[in-house]
Amino acid sequence: VSREVDTSGDEKVAAVLSLVAHELREPLAVIRGYVSMLREGVLDASMRDEALRVIDSKTQEADTLVETILLPARMEAESFGRETSEFDVSESVAQAVASVATHAKHEQATISVRTPPEPVPVLADPDHVCRVLVNLLHNALSYSRGSTEVEVAVRVGNPVEIAVSDRGTGIEPDNRERIFQPFERVGDAPSPFTRGLGLGLSISRRLAELNGGSLVLERSTPNCGSVFVLRVPTAPNGTGPPHDA
Ligand SMILES: Nc1ncnc2c1ncn2[C@@H]1O[C@H](COP(=O)(O)OP(=O)(O)O)[C@@H](O)[C@H]1O
Ligand SMILES: [Mg+2]
């Protein structure tokens, strides 16, 4: 299946629908398979437990997919909740790194974190910040080959910058804006963790903007790696020295 999506009107809609259908079919096929084995009674007790576990996780997968498809529209609604507070962005970094631990292990990747010793107060929705960082980390881990290193660095300033660097496949100059468009995917990544709809970066950029920040590809070199930077407004009392990295 080609991961490239044509950008012209009707063809784009058709390509998106076919991508969504394709992505939903996989978990549904697995669920159907296990349900029929359960019905036929061919599984012993321990395999039944395993079947139920898989059915559970595939249902979750399909659910998450549907949620992701609906999220862009929800984000534009007036009622889209934003719970802004002052918090230490280094804590979001730690939380995001922890939540991609399984993926990192699967890729045999190490994630190093560089944060200043003192707290770095920002004003935003902590869930949104964490979500963007998780998306960036999943991408950094996905679009790399073999055991690799990912670095997350917090740069103090106004706004605060969080840079996620990888040594992965990199992005060709022609694709550097395209990757932020919904349903746009480039290249191929076989990891099970990478199966996505090409919505991650468009959702992440919008979340950053809704929080008064931004998300940019700072630099990228094909076959060498990329640096994505999330900017988040500094909390009013938390001014610091200018960016140092
Ligand atoms: N760190 C990265 N290194 C190389 N390519 C990337 C990276 N992050 C994103 N990309 C490219 O941008 C595309 C869009 O990313 P994203 O919106 O997260 O969608 P998805 O990961 O579901 O494909 C990806 O398909 C990939 O080609
Ligand atoms: Mg992604």
Side-chain angles (χ1 to χ4, degrees):
V1 177
S2 165
R3 289 164 52 93
E4 308 266 343
V5 174
D6 193 306
T7 40
S8 65
D10 283 357
E11 275 178 45
K12 169 133 189 176
V13 173
V16 165
L17 288 176
S18 115
L19 177 63
V20 170
H22 175 81
E23 295 296 323
L24 270 175
R25 262 196 200 119
E26 194 272 339
L28 290 176
V30 175
I31 291 167
R32 189 187 298 122
Y34 277 102
V35 166
S36 81
M37 283 190 276
L38 284 171
R39 189 180 288 134
E40 287 159 19
V42 295
L43 302 176
D44 64 25
S46 77
M47 284 170 79
R48 273 201 299 277
D49 283 349
E50 173 63 6
L52 289 172
R53 197 193 57 74
V54 174
I55 287 170
D56 208 45
S57 102
K58 289 290 161 181
T59 307
Q60 179 70 51
E61 198 180 296
D63 226 40
T64 305
L65 210 65
V66 172
E67 285 301 313
T68 306
I69 294 163
L70 297 177
L71 187 56
R74 278 214 304 121
M75 285 196 301
E76 298 316 316
E78 209 67 56
S79 57
F80 184 66
R82 204 156 57 83
E83 303 258 342
T84 300
S85 63
E86 265 190 48
F87 61 96
D88 176 7
V89 84
S90 299
E91 282 174 20
S92 308
V93 169
Q95 202 184 327
V97 169
S99 76
V100 302
T102 310
H103 187 180
K105 197 168 163 206
H106 180 267
E107 307 285 352
Q108 293 180 304
T110 47
I111 302 177
S112 57
V113 173
R114 282 205 297 141
T115 50
E118 68 282 0
V120 183
V122 294
L123 184 65
D125 182 321
D127 287 342
H128 292 179
V129 169
C130 189
R131 195 166 187 150
V132 172
L133 293 174
V134 167
N135 278 341
L136 293 177
L137 285 167
H138 276 308
N139 281 347
L141 294 164
S142 300
Y143 303 108
S144 300
R145 292 281 175 275
S147 60
T148 188
E149 284 166 46
V150 171
E151 189 196 76
V152 191
V154 172
R155 306 169 181 167
V156 174
N158 193 1
V160 170
E161 296 188 340
I162 306 113
V164 178
S165 317
D166 65 61
R167 300 181 179 190
T169 59
I171 297 148
E172 298 288 344
D174 283 356
N175 292 327
R176 285 182 196 161
E177 270 311 304
R178 225 185 94 188
I179 54 169
F180 289 98
Q181 300 299 316
F183 298 108
E184 293 285 357
R185 311 170 81 190
V186 191
D188 205 34
S191 153
F193 289 93
T194 55
R195 225 194 349 257
L197 289 164
L199 281 173
L201 286 176
S202 66
I203 288 172
S204 297
R205 174 172 271 184
R206 191 68 191 123
L207 280 178
E209 289 168 354
L210 286 171
N211 283 275
S214 61
L215 175 64
V216 296
L217 176 57
E218 187 175 74
R219 58 176 192 274
S220 186
T221 313
N223 301 316
C224 204
S226 311
V227 183
F228 285 86
V229 171
L230 168 64
R231 300 199 181 96
V232 187
T234 309
N237 307 324
T239 45
H243 301 131
D244 57 9

